[in-house]
Amino acid sequence: MSDERLRLFCALQLPGETIDELVAWQAANLQAGRIVPPGNLHVTLAFLGSRPAGEVPAIMAELRAASAGAGPIELRPLRYRETRSVGMIVLKDVTGAATALAEDLGARLEQLGVYRFERRPWLSHVTVLRFRERAGLTPEVANIRSIHVVRSALYRSQLGRSSAETSGATYDALETAALGGVDDGS
């Protein structure tokens, strides 16, 4: 078995029209920092960090199982928020299904021994900006209709060199899972 290690996280995949609207909002509102590129926009469910590649099948099995049991997920943009290193759009979990999925998946992955719950509660959000020092921006929240998520994914994060314009990391979906067990063909 390979001893290769991968930086992994599980996330909700955003629909294409939502990504398009977020990209337009980023261009109009974010003048500082490094804008997160379209291919990296997602809602993280669980960040696993560096894991042996051999664990991917078991992690994906748990993501599929948790996703199959998930209810319909509807998210709505609430506000823009900055932490010490990122700008994000905080999302309202309208039905509570995204939070339930994050909790179920976290418990499954913790049982598997590949994840440990964070001390703070899970926050539904999309990271839209990265920076070395807070940008101090206060844009109005993205005017995006409700976001109906239908897939989750196991992503590999590959770190690269960042510059003033690029975030440095690239995210590749290794495999996706349909929410509610209904495959939409994506």
Side-chain angles (χ1 to χ4, degrees), residues 73-150:
I73 293 179
E74 179 183 354
L75 306 171
R76 288 192 193 132
L78 283 180
R79 68 185 184 282
Y80 175 82
R81 173 180 175 220
E82 290 185 357
T83 67
R84 63 179 167 74
S85 60
V86 302
M88 66 180 74
I89 295 178
V90 176
L91 304 166
K92 178 180 182 179
D93 180 8
V94 176
T95 64
T99 301
L101 173 58
E103 290 172 356
D104 180 32
L105 177 63
R108 290 168 179 275
L109 296 174
E110 198 168 58
Q111 182 71 28
L112 195 59
V114 300
Y115 178 71
R116 193 173 282 170
F117 275 105
E118 295 183 22
R119 291 177 189 249
R120 62 181 182 248
W122 180 76
L123 176 66
S124 180
H125 71 279
V126 177
T127 299
V128 293
L129 185 68
R130 296 189 180 283
F131 39 76
R132 293 196 199 299
E133 293 181 21
R134 284 188 189 211
L137 302 175
T138 57
E140 291 295 317
V141 73
N143 187 16
I144 300 172
R145 62 187 167 277
S146 290
I147 303 164
H148 296 274
V149 180
V150 297

Side-chain angles (χ1 to χ4, degrees), residues 10 45 58-68 105 152-154 175 177:
C10 299
L45 294 167
I59 293 168
M60 195 58 220
E62 296 303 336
L63 178 60
R64 273 193 300 275
S67 295
L105 177 63
S152 63
L154 176 61
E175 193 172 331

Side-chain angles (χ1 to χ4, degrees), residues 136-177:
L137 302 175
T138 57
E140 291 295 317
V141 73
N143 187 16
I144 300 172
R145 62 187 167 277
S146 290
I147 303 164
H148 296 274
V149 180
V150 297
R151 298 195 79 70
S152 63
L154 176 61
Y155 286 91
R156 174 181 57 194
S157 171
Q158 294 181 291
L159 298 178
R161 295 187 60 104
S162 61
S163 68
E165 298 83 34
T166 63
S167 68
T170 57
Y171 303 151
D172 300 308
L174 300 178
E175 193 172 331
T176 66

